[in-house]
Amino acid sequence: GAGVSQSPSNKVTEKGKDVELRCDPISGHTALYWYRQSLGQGLEFLIYFQGNSAPDKSGLPSDRFSAERTGGSVSTLTIQRTQQEDSAVYLCASSSTGVQAFFGQGTRLTVV
Amino acid sequence: AQKVTQAQTEISVVEKEDVTLDCVYETRDTTYYLFWYKQPPSGELVFLIRRNSFDEQNEISGRYSWNFQKSTSSFNFTITASQVVDSAVYFCAPTYSSASKIIFGSGTRLSIRP
């Protein structure tokens, strides 16, 4: 497809388990973003990849969170030892420099 | 500090009223982009407009208009003759050249009552 694709769309996990969230950006987009949105809240920046540059990880809330982007394309956000406060919608977006970001539909993560 | 402020948390108006959503940004960069996004109840983020820092020309698109004022670091968004379908959360989102990532404001929840 032509848009940003995220999988899974929904994920329910037990507290303490690890989860991986996947993002397929639009082909050719050099920038990739991860945001988190808790219910009724704004978008919290997590991490930003731009081409081959070192990622901006300044938004990751703890060392339980990590992300990688392989081959400048697909990205995986990993949350280790999930906690209930990690429950949120995780949004991925991609863009070309200076152009608007296109967002995926998000992954709704529920930690029980 | 580089940030963005949407001081209006929630706005509720009656259909057909005009409504303006405020956005104030803060940066020392001379090159930056400003975006507005809409998030309807369905949850997806919809791009509305992009403006770069060198283009202060205001824009009108149908019932939507944007007022970019560099002198006051504001990029306000007006909906004319609002409709129920305009009900959504609206985010102002700058991208500063020194930071590159898109910074989202806290959003303004707009409710249009019939």
Side-chain angles (χ1 to χ4, degrees):
Chain A
V4 177
S5 178
Q6 291 187 246
S7 61
S9 54
N10 280 284
K11 176 72 175 179
V12 180
T13 189
E14 293 182 353
K15 177 181 174 181
K17 301 284 189 182
D18 297 351
V19 295
E20 285 189 352
L21 312 180
R22 177 186 170 102
C23 174
D24 275 283
I26 293 172
S27 178
H29 279 186
T30 56
L32 186 147
Y33 309 82
W34 283 99
Y35 293 87
R36 176 169 73 173
Q37 188 174 32
S38 300
L39 187 64
Q41 303 298 310
L43 274 73
E44 176 189 5
F45 167 75
L46 297 177
I47 188 168
Y48 163 64
F49 297 90
Q50 174 60 271
N52 296 320
S53 302
D56 178 346
K57 304 179 181 181
S58 60
L60 295 178
S62 77
D63 58 8
R64 297 187 294 104
F65 287 72
S66 63
E68 62 178 20
R69 188 179 185 190
T70 53
S73 181
V74 172
S75 177
T76 302
L77 176 69
T78 301
I79 308 173
Q80 296 178 312
R81 304 181 302 282
T82 52
Q83 304 294 314
Q84 287 186 330
E85 60 263 28
D86 298 335
S87 296
V89 176
Y90 289 81
L91 292 161
C92 176
S94 70
S95 75
S96 296
T97 303
V99 182
Q100 67 271 17
F102 294 86
F103 282 81
Q105 292 298 313
T107 293
R108 182 176 299 278
L109 176 66
T110 304
V111 181
V112 298
Chain B
Q2 308 204 76
K3 61 181 182 181
V4 56
T5 302
Q6 294 182 257
Q8 303 149 307
T9 305
E10 293 191 37
I11 300 175
S12 180
V13 301
V14 176
E15 198 172 21
K16 299 184 182 178
E17 286 187 19
D18 298 348
V19 58
T20 296
L21 309 182
D22 298 333
C23 172
V24 175
Y25 60 93
E26 181 179 331
T27 183
R28 293 182 180 176
D29 292 354
T30 56
T31 302
Y32 49 88
Y33 293 92
L34 302 168
F35 302 90
W36 274 93
Y37 284 86
K38 172 183 179 179
Q39 189 175 40
S42 56
E44 80 272 22
L45 275 150
V46 179
F47 163 78
L48 294 177
I49 191 172
R50 177 189 71 173
R51 175 67 74 232
N52 73 55
S53 53
F54 299 106
D55 181 5
E56 287 192 72
Q57 186 174 15
N58 294 325
E59 181 161 333
I60 298 174
S61 176
R63 296 185 297 106
Y64 296 170
S65 62
W66 288 268
N67 184 0
F68 177 25
Q69 300 269 350
K70 286 183 75 170
S71 59
T72 56
S73 298
S74 64
F75 186 40
N76 297 337
F77 171 35
T78 297
I79 302 175
T80 303
S82 60
Q83 299 177 2
V84 173
V85 294
D86 296 327
S87 296
V89 180
Y90 291 84
F91 293 97
C92 178
T95 298
Y96 304 122
S97 58
S98 61
S100 297
K101 61 180 181 276
I102 303 174
I103 303 170
F104 279 81
S106 54
T108 297
R109 183 175 300 275
L110 177 63
S111 297
I112 310 298
R113 308 189 304 275

